[in-house]
Amino acid sequence: MKKYFTTSIGRLRLYGFLEGMSLLVLIFIAVPLKYMFNNPEWVKSIGPAHGALFLLFIFNVLRIGIEQKWPFKEITWIVIAACFIPFGTFYIDDKILKHLK
């Protein structure tokens, strides 16, 4: 786990993992609890946490993309788009982020 904090890409990968997990918890646990069992408490707690992680991920993708001069259409845009799709951040981490220095 320590390796994630030593580089900006490592931190971005960690943020992507946390954002991806929060999206999955929101979609597959919190939302069904809200609508199927009339229990909105999980959405009220997980929703803002996911929103904060989402913004943290987006801002860091943009910051690192500018710092490292990533081609916007080839890397930056694809990494940003991935966080809108369930499991997208995990896919992008495997296919793009873990190969960057």
XYZ file of all heavy atoms in Angstrom:
837
model
N 0.819 -1.195 0.000
C 0.000 0.000 0.000
C 0.861 1.256 0.000
O 0.462 2.263 -0.551
C -0.927 -0.031 1.215
C -1.906 1.106 1.244
S -3.068 1.076 -0.091
C -4.519 0.584 0.764
N 2.037 1.196 0.602
C 2.893 2.368 0.696
C 3.316 2.880 -0.683
O 3.496 4.072 -0.877
C 4.119 2.047 1.545
C 4.942 3.243 1.867
C 6.074 2.871 2.800
C 6.861 4.118 3.160
N 7.933 3.823 4.085
N 3.460 1.983 -1.662
C 3.896 2.394 -2.997
C 2.917 3.369 -3.649
O 3.296 4.162 -4.486
C 4.106 1.178 -3.887
C 2.825 0.447 -4.234
C 3.093 -0.733 -5.131
C 1.779 -1.434 -5.389
N 1.893 -2.525 -6.295
N 1.640 3.326 -3.263
C 0.654 4.224 -3.852
C 0.901 5.675 -3.476
O 0.564 6.578 -4.219
C -0.761 3.843 -3.415
C -1.313 2.649 -4.158
C -1.530 1.452 -3.507
C -1.600 2.727 -5.504
C -2.033 0.362 -4.182
C -2.094 1.648 -6.200
C -2.311 0.466 -5.530
O -2.803 -0.605 -6.202
N 1.487 5.922 -2.332
C 1.636 7.291 -1.875
C 2.942 7.937 -2.309
O 3.145 9.107 -2.063
C 1.518 7.345 -0.343
C 0.158 6.947 0.142
C -0.012 5.773 0.846
C -0.943 7.730 -0.121
C -1.269 5.395 1.292
C -2.203 7.357 0.318
C -2.369 6.193 1.016
N 3.839 7.218 -2.932
C 5.143 7.761 -3.256
C 5.168 8.563 -4.553
O 6.049 9.392 -4.729
C 6.194 6.640 -3.337
O 5.787 5.695 -4.322
C 6.355 5.946 -2.001
N 4.224 8.357 -5.451
C 4.188 9.104 -6.713
C 2.785 9.660 -6.942
O 1.804 9.176 -6.378
C 4.555 8.208 -7.911
O 3.538 7.208 -8.071
C 5.905 7.533 -7.721
N 2.706 10.661 -7.807
C 1.390 11.230 -8.120
C 0.525 10.221 -8.870
O -0.687 10.158 -8.658
C 1.530 12.525 -8.920
O 2.248 12.304 -10.108
N 1.123 9.395 -9.713
C 0.364 8.350 -10.414
C -0.130 7.319 -9.405
O -1.259 6.836 -9.490
C 1.223 7.655 -11.502
C 1.618 8.640 -12.597
C 0.486 6.466 -12.101
C 0.493 9.102 -13.486
N 0.694 6.974 -8.449
C 0.288 6.023 -7.410
C -0.890 6.538 -6.608
O -1.831 5.800 -6.320
N -0.850 7.820 -6.253
C -1.980 8.410 -5.526
C -3.229 8.440 -6.409
O -4.337 8.175 -5.940
C -1.614 9.798 -5.016
C -0.680 9.763 -3.825
C -0.446 11.136 -3.234
N 0.267 12.025 -4.138
C 1.586 12.056 -4.286
N 2.348 11.246 -3.566
N 2.153 12.906 -5.123
N -3.049 8.753 -7.688
C -4.188 8.759 -8.610
C -4.803 7.369 -8.707
O -6.023 7.223 -8.730
C -3.761 9.246 -9.991
C -4.867 9.306 -11.041
C -5.937 10.314 -10.634
C -4.292 9.654 -12.396
N -3.975 6.342 -8.748
C -4.483 4.970 -8.790
C -5.276 4.652 -7.523
O -6.317 4.000 -7.587
C -3.334 3.986 -8.966
C -2.671 4.082 -10.331
C -1.550 3.092 -10.483
N -2.107 1.745 -10.497
C -1.389 0.657 -10.277
N -0.091 0.744 -10.030
N -1.960 -0.526 -10.303
N -4.785 5.110 -6.382
C -5.498 4.906 -5.120
C -6.829 5.645 -5.141
O -7.865 5.078 -4.773
C -4.646 5.365 -3.941
C -5.319 5.255 -2.573
C -5.626 3.797 -2.240
C -4.431 5.881 -1.513
N -6.822 6.901 -5.589
C -8.074 7.663 -5.683
C -9.052 6.972 -6.630
O -10.256 6.930 -6.369
C -7.827 9.092 -6.177
C -6.917 9.917 -5.313
C -6.148 10.926 -5.870
C -6.801 9.701 -3.939
C -5.300 11.700 -5.092
C -5.947 10.468 -3.161
C -5.200 11.468 -3.746
O -4.360 12.233 -2.988
N -8.550 6.431 -7.730
C -9.405 5.709 -8.670
C -10.025 4.477 -8.049
O -11.205 4.185 -8.261
N -9.230 3.752 -7.268
C -9.755 2.571 -6.586
C -10.853 2.962 -5.600
O -11.933 2.355 -5.574
C -8.629 1.829 -5.859
C -9.117 0.686 -5.023
C -9.438 -0.522 -5.614
C -9.283 0.823 -3.655
C -9.910 -1.588 -4.850
C -9.750 -0.222 -2.883
C -10.070 -1.434 -3.483
N -10.589 3.980 -4.791
C -11.580 4.419 -3.801
C -12.843 4.961 -4.475
O -13.959 4.669 -4.043
C -10.972 5.482 -2.880
C -9.830 5.002 -1.994
C -9.198 6.181 -1.259
C -10.303 3.935 -1.026
N -12.674 5.720 -5.546
C -13.827 6.249 -6.278
C -14.628 5.116 -6.899
O -15.863 5.101 -6.835
C -13.353 7.236 -7.357
C -14.460 8.044 -7.991
C -15.200 7.332 -9.106
O -14.615 6.433 -9.749
O -16.365 7.667 -9.348
N -13.950 4.152 -7.484
C -14.629 3.012 -8.091
C -15.390 2.179 -7.073
O -16.528 1.762 -7.308
N -14.781 1.953 -5.916
C -15.456 1.186 -4.862
C -16.675 1.941 -4.336
O -17.733 1.342 -4.114
C -14.490 0.881 -3.712
C -13.443 -0.140 -4.062
S -14.103 -1.726 -4.604
C -14.908 -2.278 -3.127
N -16.537 3.254 -4.165
C -17.681 4.028 -3.655
C -18.831 4.024 -4.665
O -19.997 3.961 -4.279
C -17.271 5.454 -3.309
O -16.970 6.210 -4.463
N -18.512 4.055 -5.963
C -19.565 3.984 -6.982
C -20.275 2.638 -6.935
O -21.510 2.576 -7.003
C -18.978 4.218 -8.372
C -19.952 4.120 -9.546
C -21.057 5.161 -9.427
C -19.214 4.261 -10.862
N -19.506 1.561 -6.783
C -20.123 0.231 -6.724
C -20.998 0.075 -5.484
O -22.101 -0.476 -5.570
C -19.042 -0.847 -6.746
C -18.241 -0.944 -8.040
C -17.166 -2.006 -7.919
C -19.144 -1.212 -9.233
N -20.541 0.566 -4.347
C -21.352 0.500 -3.122
C -22.623 1.325 -3.298
O -23.717 0.887 -2.927
C -20.548 0.979 -1.894
C -21.443 1.169 -0.682
C -19.427 0.001 -1.575
N -22.485 2.486 -3.905
C -23.650 3.340 -4.133
C -24.664 2.666 -5.059
O -25.852 2.594 -4.746
C -23.197 4.676 -4.715
C -24.219 5.784 -4.812
C -24.708 6.188 -3.429
C -23.624 6.986 -5.515
N -24.193 2.141 -6.175
C -25.094 1.558 -7.173
C -25.689 0.220 -6.736
O -26.876 -0.029 -6.911
C -24.370 1.381 -8.524
C -24.114 2.733 -9.147
C -25.180 0.521 -9.479
C -23.273 2.666 -10.399
N -24.860 -0.654 -6.179
C -25.303 -2.015 -5.919
C -25.790 -2.277 -4.494
O -26.391 -3.314 -4.246
C -24.204 -3.006 -6.294
C -23.913 -3.020 -7.765
C -22.699 -2.574 -8.247
C -24.863 -3.458 -8.674
C -22.428 -2.582 -9.611
C -24.607 -3.467 -10.035
C -23.390 -3.026 -10.499
N -25.529 -1.355 -3.576
C -26.000 -1.552 -2.204
C -26.925 -0.418 -1.774
O -28.077 -0.651 -1.393
C -24.819 -1.692 -1.215
C -24.003 -2.943 -1.554
C -25.327 -1.745 0.227
C -22.725 -3.087 -0.757
N -26.431 0.831 -1.837
C -27.182 1.952 -1.293
C -28.477 2.245 -2.058
O -29.535 2.424 -1.444
C -26.306 3.208 -1.259
N -28.404 2.291 -3.374
C -29.603 2.602 -4.161
C -30.661 1.499 -4.048
O -31.846 1.804 -3.845
C -29.232 2.924 -5.624
C -30.469 3.042 -6.491
C -28.422 4.213 -5.679
N -30.298 0.216 -4.147
C -31.325 -0.812 -3.920
C -31.943 -0.744 -2.522
O -33.162 -0.945 -2.374
C -30.574 -2.126 -4.119
C -29.472 -1.784 -5.050
C -29.055 -0.399 -4.652
N -31.130 -0.465 -1.504
C -31.694 -0.313 -0.157
C -32.694 0.832 -0.099
O -33.729 0.732 0.558
C -30.582 -0.080 0.875
C -29.792 -1.298 1.299
C -28.619 -0.879 2.172
C -30.669 -2.296 2.038
N -32.376 1.901 -0.796
C -33.271 3.061 -0.790
C -34.608 2.746 -1.457
O -35.668 3.063 -0.919
C -32.604 4.244 -1.492
C -33.477 5.475 -1.554
C -32.782 6.630 -2.235
C -33.693 7.835 -2.288
N -33.036 8.979 -2.927
N -34.555 2.157 -2.630
C -35.785 1.980 -3.402
C -36.521 0.668 -3.129
O -37.741 0.618 -3.257
C -35.489 2.133 -4.894
C -35.151 3.560 -5.232
C -33.851 3.942 -5.519
C -36.126 4.544 -5.201
C -33.535 5.258 -5.806
C -35.830 5.864 -5.480
C -34.537 6.213 -5.784
O -34.235 7.519 -6.047
N -35.817 -0.366 -2.750
C -36.493 -1.636 -2.514
C -36.944 -1.789 -1.063
O -37.935 -2.457 -0.794
C -35.590 -2.802 -2.917
C -35.379 -2.851 -4.427
S -34.081 -3.971 -4.995
C -34.502 -5.496 -4.262
N -36.189 -1.175 -0.153
C -36.498 -1.339 1.269
C -36.806 -0.019 1.970
O -36.868 0.035 3.189
C -35.348 -2.055 1.973
C -35.071 -3.418 1.418
C -33.984 -3.641 0.592
C -35.931 -4.469 1.692
C -33.731 -4.896 0.059
C -35.692 -5.722 1.167
C -34.593 -5.942 0.349
N -36.960 1.040 1.171
C -37.306 2.364 1.689
C -36.346 2.800 2.804
O -36.760 3.302 3.846
C -38.757 2.380 2.183
C -39.287 3.791 2.299
O -38.804 4.688 1.609
N -40.266 3.981 3.161
N -35.061 2.577 2.568
C -34.031 2.931 3.538
C -32.994 3.839 2.856
O -32.022 3.363 2.281
C -33.361 1.663 4.077
C -32.333 1.963 5.139
O -32.051 3.110 5.447
N -31.764 0.914 5.703
N -33.173 5.168 2.930
C -32.280 6.089 2.226
C -30.987 6.428 2.975
O -30.189 7.224 2.492
C -33.142 7.334 2.068
C -34.017 7.320 3.274
C -34.313 5.855 3.529
N -30.763 5.843 4.132
C -29.618 6.228 4.964
C -28.273 5.983 4.278
O -27.368 6.797 4.388
C -29.669 5.510 6.314
C -30.868 5.899 7.163
C -30.961 7.401 7.379
O -29.933 8.033 7.714
O -32.061 7.942 7.188
N -28.126 4.868 3.587
C -26.860 4.580 2.917
C -26.579 5.580 1.799
O -25.456 6.013 1.624
C -26.852 3.157 2.369
C -26.497 2.125 3.386
C -27.164 1.858 4.551
C -25.393 1.254 3.357
N -26.553 0.858 5.231
C -25.444 0.457 4.522
C -24.358 1.042 2.460
C -24.510 -0.511 4.813
C -23.428 0.058 2.743
C -23.498 -0.694 3.899
N -27.618 5.942 1.055
C -27.434 6.926 -0.016
C -27.029 8.270 0.578
O -26.163 8.959 0.037
C -28.709 7.062 -0.875
C -28.612 8.235 -1.834
C -28.970 5.777 -1.644
N -27.629 8.616 1.709
C -27.301 9.891 2.356
C -25.860 9.932 2.846
O -25.260 11.005 2.900
C -28.249 10.152 3.527
C -29.642 10.520 3.089
C -30.523 10.764 4.294
C -31.941 11.090 3.863
N -32.825 11.289 5.028
N -25.300 8.803 3.215
C -23.917 8.799 3.697
C -22.907 8.492 2.596
O -21.859 9.123 2.512
C -23.752 7.820 4.857
O -24.073 6.518 4.457
N -23.204 7.545 1.746
C -22.269 7.149 0.684
C -22.267 8.162 -0.459
O -21.220 8.415 -1.057
C -22.605 5.739 0.139
C -22.531 4.701 1.250
C -21.691 5.354 -1.016
C -21.162 4.492 1.816
N -23.404 8.751 -0.758
C -23.510 9.696 -1.867
C -22.520 10.853 -1.781
O -21.746 11.082 -2.719
N -22.505 11.609 -0.682
C -21.536 12.706 -0.576
C -20.079 12.234 -0.565
O -19.202 12.887 -1.129
C -21.890 13.371 0.754
C -23.318 13.018 0.978
C -23.487 11.647 0.390
N -19.816 11.084 0.057
C -18.450 10.545 0.063
C -18.017 10.203 -1.362
O -16.892 10.512 -1.776
C -18.373 9.317 0.956
N -18.916 9.586 -2.109
C -18.608 9.265 -3.506
C -18.388 10.551 -4.306
O -17.468 10.625 -5.125
C -19.728 8.439 -4.141
C -19.593 8.337 -5.623
N -18.582 7.619 -6.222
C -20.305 8.904 -6.627
C -18.695 7.740 -7.533
N -19.731 8.512 -7.798
N -19.218 11.544 -4.084
C -19.054 12.822 -4.786
C -17.702 13.454 -4.522
O -17.040 13.953 -5.440
N -17.262 13.421 -3.280
C -15.955 13.983 -2.929
C -14.822 13.184 -3.581
O -13.872 13.771 -4.118
C -15.790 14.003 -1.417
N -14.920 11.868 -3.558
C -13.903 11.028 -4.193
C -13.892 11.216 -5.707
O -12.826 11.232 -6.336
C -14.129 9.557 -3.841
C -13.822 9.188 -2.392
C -14.395 7.802 -2.070
C -12.331 9.237 -2.129
N -15.065 11.377 -6.291
C -15.186 11.627 -7.729
C -14.443 12.908 -8.102
O -13.645 12.938 -9.035
C -16.672 11.709 -8.107
C -16.928 12.103 -9.515
C -16.857 11.172 -10.530
C -17.263 13.405 -9.834
C -17.103 11.532 -11.847
C -17.510 13.778 -11.140
C -17.424 12.835 -12.147
N -14.713 13.988 -7.349
C -14.051 15.261 -7.637
C -12.541 15.176 -7.404
O -11.758 15.723 -8.188
C -14.659 16.373 -6.787
C -16.086 16.760 -7.158
C -16.625 17.777 -6.158
C -16.152 17.304 -8.572
N -12.131 14.507 -6.356
C -10.708 14.319 -6.081
C -10.032 13.602 -7.241
O -8.950 13.998 -7.691
C -10.533 13.521 -4.783
C -9.112 13.260 -4.314
C -8.437 14.553 -3.890
C -9.124 12.268 -3.159
N -10.683 12.575 -7.758
C -10.134 11.824 -8.886
C -10.052 12.702 -10.135
O -9.008 12.769 -10.789
C -10.982 10.578 -9.150
C -10.461 9.711 -10.259
C -9.344 8.915 -10.073
C -11.096 9.683 -11.494
C -8.855 8.114 -11.094
C -10.621 8.883 -12.517
C -9.497 8.104 -12.323
N -11.131 13.397 -10.470
C -11.168 14.234 -11.676
C -10.103 15.321 -11.619
O -9.354 15.533 -12.579
C -12.564 14.875 -11.860
C -13.611 13.813 -12.154
C -12.548 15.938 -12.962
C -13.480 13.141 -13.486
N -10.034 16.048 -10.503
C -9.054 17.130 -10.383
C -7.622 16.602 -10.490
O -6.765 17.238 -11.096
C -9.247 17.907 -9.090
C -10.492 18.752 -9.073
C -11.242 18.850 -7.919
C -10.924 19.431 -10.190
C -12.403 19.622 -7.885
C -12.075 20.207 -10.176
C -12.816 20.301 -9.018
N -7.373 15.444 -9.914
C -6.030 14.878 -9.990
C -5.702 14.355 -11.382
O -4.559 14.452 -11.812
C -5.845 13.796 -8.923
C -5.479 14.404 -7.604
O -4.333 14.763 -7.388
N -6.447 14.567 -6.722
N -6.674 13.812 -12.078
C -6.433 13.395 -13.472
C -6.038 14.616 -14.298
O -5.056 14.574 -15.052
C -7.673 12.719 -14.089
C -7.527 12.571 -15.596
C -7.912 11.366 -13.458
N -6.786 15.699 -14.147
C -6.475 16.914 -14.911
C -5.107 17.480 -14.522
O -4.313 17.861 -15.387
C -7.565 17.958 -14.708
C -8.927 17.590 -15.296
C -9.979 18.592 -14.878
C -8.854 17.476 -16.808
N -4.820 17.528 -13.233
C -3.545 18.068 -12.761
C -2.373 17.238 -13.285
O -1.411 17.779 -13.841
C -3.521 18.105 -11.232
C -2.234 18.688 -10.646
C -2.235 18.627 -9.134
N -2.348 17.276 -8.603
C -1.330 16.421 -8.489
N -0.128 16.759 -8.888
N -1.526 15.217 -7.978
N -2.463 15.931 -13.141
C -1.376 15.050 -13.577
C -1.270 15.041 -15.100
O -0.173 15.023 -15.654
C -1.563 13.631 -13.013
C -1.406 13.665 -11.494
C -0.582 12.646 -13.638
C -1.830 12.400 -10.792
N -2.412 15.084 -15.769
C -2.393 15.137 -17.233
C -1.664 16.356 -17.749
O -0.901 16.283 -18.723
N -1.866 17.504 -17.095
C -1.170 18.730 -17.495
C 0.311 18.643 -17.137
O 1.171 18.963 -17.960
C -1.834 19.961 -16.835
C -3.217 20.179 -17.446
C -0.961 21.202 -16.982
C -4.081 21.165 -16.694
N 0.607 18.189 -15.919
C 2.008 18.083 -15.480
C 2.817 17.147 -16.367
O 3.960 17.438 -16.709
C 2.081 17.553 -14.042
C 1.730 18.546 -12.987
C 1.727 17.921 -11.591
O 2.039 16.709 -11.446
O 1.408 18.654 -10.641
N 2.228 16.035 -16.738
C 2.963 15.028 -17.506
C 2.723 15.133 -19.011
O 3.172 14.273 -19.769
C 2.613 13.636 -16.992
C 2.979 13.487 -15.538
C 3.266 12.061 -15.146
O 3.212 11.142 -15.958
N 3.591 11.876 -13.891
N 1.982 16.155 -19.395
C 1.716 16.422 -20.819
C 1.096 15.221 -21.537
O 1.514 14.833 -22.630
C 2.988 16.886 -21.520
C 3.529 18.198 -20.982
C 4.809 18.580 -21.667
C 5.315 19.919 -21.246
N 5.738 20.076 -19.890
N 0.083 14.631 -20.877
C -0.639 13.530 -21.509
C -1.390 14.053 -22.718
O -1.987 15.134 -22.675
C -1.664 12.942 -20.557
C -1.133 12.160 -19.412
C 0.146 11.758 -19.193
C -1.898 11.688 -18.297
N 0.225 11.054 -18.018
C -1.005 10.996 -17.452
C -3.225 11.770 -17.940
C -1.418 10.404 -16.277
C -3.638 11.174 -16.776
C -2.738 10.494 -15.949
N -1.453 13.296 -23.802
C -2.330 13.672 -24.918
C -3.789 13.591 -24.443
O -4.219 12.534 -23.977
C -2.043 12.637 -25.995
C -0.913 11.801 -25.503
C -0.687 12.100 -24.072
N -4.527 14.693 -24.529
C -5.862 14.759 -23.944
C -6.782 13.672 -24.490
O -7.435 12.966 -23.727
C -6.492 16.140 -24.154
C -7.783 16.307 -23.427
C -7.796 16.570 -22.069
C -8.991 16.171 -24.089
C -8.992 16.698 -21.368
C -10.190 16.303 -23.408
C -10.185 16.576 -22.047
N -6.848 13.520 -25.803
C -7.774 12.551 -26.399
C -7.332 11.107 -26.190
O -8.155 10.204 -26.220
C -7.938 12.816 -27.889
C -8.747 14.033 -28.195
C -8.969 14.173 -29.682
C -9.820 15.371 -29.984
N -10.033 15.523 -31.421
N -6.056 10.876 -25.992
C -5.554 9.501 -25.891
C -5.505 8.978 -24.460
O -5.655 7.782 -24.243
C -4.167 9.408 -26.512
C -4.180 9.659 -28.002
C -2.785 9.771 -28.569
O -1.829 9.285 -27.935
O -2.651 10.365 -29.650
N -5.273 9.858 -23.490
C -5.172 9.381 -22.112
C -6.150 10.114 -21.189
O -7.005 9.490 -20.566
C -3.731 9.511 -21.571
C -2.768 8.637 -22.380
C -3.685 9.121 -20.094
C -1.323 8.757 -21.972
N -6.014 11.424 -21.090
C -6.767 12.185 -20.093
C -8.271 11.980 -20.226
O -8.946 11.659 -19.245
C -6.436 13.690 -20.195
O -5.018 13.850 -20.151
C -7.076 14.460 -19.051
N -8.795 12.164 -21.411
C -10.241 12.045 -21.610
C -10.736 10.639 -21.310
O -11.793 10.447 -20.713
C -10.611 12.454 -23.031
C -12.059 12.281 -23.319
C -12.621 11.410 -24.185
C -13.155 12.968 -22.696
N -13.982 11.516 -24.160
C -14.344 12.465 -23.250
C -13.247 13.952 -21.726
C -15.593 12.921 -22.861
C -14.489 14.400 -21.343
C -15.643 13.893 -21.910
N -9.986 9.637 -21.695
C -10.384 8.250 -21.467
C -10.403 7.936 -19.976
O -11.321 7.284 -19.474
C -9.449 7.285 -22.233
C -9.631 7.480 -23.738
C -9.708 5.840 -21.848
C -8.594 6.786 -24.582
N -9.394 8.419 -19.245
C -9.343 8.189 -17.798
C -10.516 8.882 -17.113
O -11.152 8.312 -16.226
C -7.987 8.647 -17.218
C -7.982 8.561 -15.710
C -6.850 7.805 -17.801
N -10.832 10.099 -17.528
C -11.976 10.812 -16.939
C -13.276 10.087 -17.260
O -14.125 9.894 -16.388
C -12.024 12.271 -17.436
C -10.864 13.057 -16.818
C -13.359 12.927 -17.097
C -10.699 14.446 -17.355
N -13.461 9.684 -18.501
C -14.699 9.012 -18.902
C -14.908 7.704 -18.142
O -16.046 7.316 -17.858
C -14.693 8.761 -20.404
N -13.826 7.040 -17.787
C -13.926 5.743 -17.109
C -14.617 5.845 -15.752
O -15.268 4.897 -15.320
C -12.542 5.143 -16.925
N -14.490 6.982 -15.084
C -15.074 7.067 -13.740
C -16.596 7.234 -13.777
O -17.229 7.192 -12.730
C -14.409 8.151 -12.915
S -14.713 9.815 -13.451
N -17.174 7.366 -14.946
C -18.633 7.426 -15.074
C -19.249 6.040 -15.265
O -20.466 5.896 -15.270
C -19.035 8.310 -16.263
C -18.780 9.764 -16.037
C -17.604 10.352 -16.477
C -19.694 10.541 -15.359
C -17.365 11.688 -16.258
C -19.463 11.881 -15.134
C -18.287 12.453 -15.584
N -18.415 5.033 -15.442
C -18.874 3.682 -15.747
C -18.524 2.761 -14.574
O -17.370 2.761 -14.123
C -18.189 3.163 -17.029
C -18.474 4.106 -18.196
C -18.615 1.742 -17.340
C -17.584 3.869 -19.391
N -19.480 1.984 -14.077
C -19.127 1.019 -13.028
C -17.993 0.108 -13.499
O -17.997 -0.351 -14.641
C -20.426 0.230 -12.813
C -21.500 1.171 -13.238
C -20.906 1.964 -14.383
N -17.027 -0.102 -12.649
C -15.820 -0.886 -12.911
C -14.850 -0.185 -13.863
O -13.789 -0.715 -14.164
C -16.142 -2.294 -13.444
C -17.011 -3.104 -12.532
C -18.368 -3.256 -12.789
C -16.480 -3.708 -11.407
C -19.173 -3.995 -11.939
C -17.276 -4.453 -10.558
C -18.631 -4.592 -10.818
N -15.190 1.008 -14.334
C -14.341 1.726 -15.288
C -12.992 2.117 -14.732
O -11.979 2.005 -15.420
N -12.957 2.576 -13.483
C -11.674 2.983 -12.912
C -10.738 1.790 -12.729
O -9.532 1.927 -12.844
C -11.857 3.711 -11.575
O -12.613 2.899 -10.681
C -12.537 5.052 -11.766
N -11.301 0.626 -12.463
C -10.470 -0.574 -12.319
C -9.883 -0.982 -13.674
O -8.724 -1.382 -13.760
C -11.277 -1.727 -11.719
C -11.964 -1.360 -10.440
C -13.342 -1.407 -10.350
C -11.244 -0.948 -9.338
C -13.989 -1.072 -9.174
C -11.872 -0.601 -8.153
C -13.256 -0.657 -8.074
N -10.675 -0.876 -14.716
C -10.221 -1.198 -16.069
C -9.110 -0.237 -16.506
O -8.069 -0.666 -17.010
C -11.403 -1.145 -17.044
C -11.015 -1.423 -18.472
C -10.824 -2.725 -18.909
C -10.821 -0.387 -19.370
C -10.451 -2.989 -20.221
C -10.450 -0.635 -20.678
C -10.267 -1.931 -21.100
O -9.891 -2.181 -22.393
N -9.342 1.058 -16.290
C -8.367 2.079 -16.677
C -7.072 1.924 -15.882
O -5.983 2.115 -16.398
C -8.976 3.488 -16.504
C -10.018 3.728 -17.581
C -7.920 4.566 -16.509
C -9.503 3.626 -19.002
N -7.209 1.570 -14.609
C -6.011 1.354 -13.794
C -5.176 0.236 -14.391
O -3.962 0.362 -14.515
C -6.391 1.019 -12.353
C -5.183 0.771 -11.492
O -4.428 1.738 -11.243
O -4.966 -0.382 -11.078
N -5.824 -0.838 -14.785
C -5.114 -1.995 -15.338
C -4.540 -1.713 -16.725
O -3.420 -2.126 -17.029
C -6.045 -3.206 -15.392
C -5.335 -4.467 -15.856
O -4.316 -4.831 -15.218
O -5.779 -5.069 -16.843
N -5.284 -1.030 -17.567
C -4.879 -0.841 -18.958
C -3.990 0.377 -19.190
O -3.193 0.381 -20.119
C -6.112 -0.733 -19.869
C -6.954 -1.980 -19.895
C -6.166 -3.157 -20.427
C -7.022 -4.398 -20.454
N -6.278 -5.587 -20.793
N -4.124 1.436 -18.359
C -3.384 2.668 -18.618
C -2.513 3.083 -17.429
O -1.303 3.203 -17.551
C -4.332 3.827 -18.987
C -5.025 3.534 -20.325
C -3.560 5.148 -19.081
C -6.026 4.569 -20.759
N -3.122 3.297 -16.272
C -2.425 3.948 -15.167
C -1.251 3.149 -14.619
O -0.215 3.730 -14.294
C -3.400 4.292 -14.039
C -4.490 5.306 -14.397
C -5.407 5.525 -13.195
C -3.892 6.605 -14.876
N -1.380 1.845 -14.510
C -0.279 1.085 -13.920
C 0.940 1.021 -14.841
O 2.028 0.686 -14.404
C -0.733 -0.308 -13.503
C -0.835 -1.333 -14.572
C -1.197 -2.681 -13.961
C -1.228 -3.769 -14.989
N -1.633 -5.042 -14.397
N 0.780 1.401 -16.092
C 1.885 1.385 -17.050
C 2.576 2.747 -17.186
O 3.568 2.867 -17.879
C 1.404 0.919 -18.419
C 0.761 -0.437 -18.388
N 1.483 -1.590 -18.156
C -0.529 -0.819 -18.494
C 0.666 -2.631 -18.155
N -0.562 -2.181 -18.368
N 2.012 3.770 -16.536
C 2.597 5.115 -16.605
C 3.625 5.300 -15.504
O 3.545 4.690 -14.459
C 1.497 6.173 -16.466
C 0.444 6.193 -17.560
C -0.649 7.183 -17.200
C 1.054 6.554 -18.889
N 4.574 6.175 -15.742
C 5.593 6.464 -14.724
C 5.334 7.801 -14.110
O 4.839 8.698 -14.675
C 6.980 6.446 -15.343
C 7.331 5.063 -15.856
C 8.721 5.021 -16.367
C 8.947 3.661 -16.966
N 10.124 3.018 -16.746
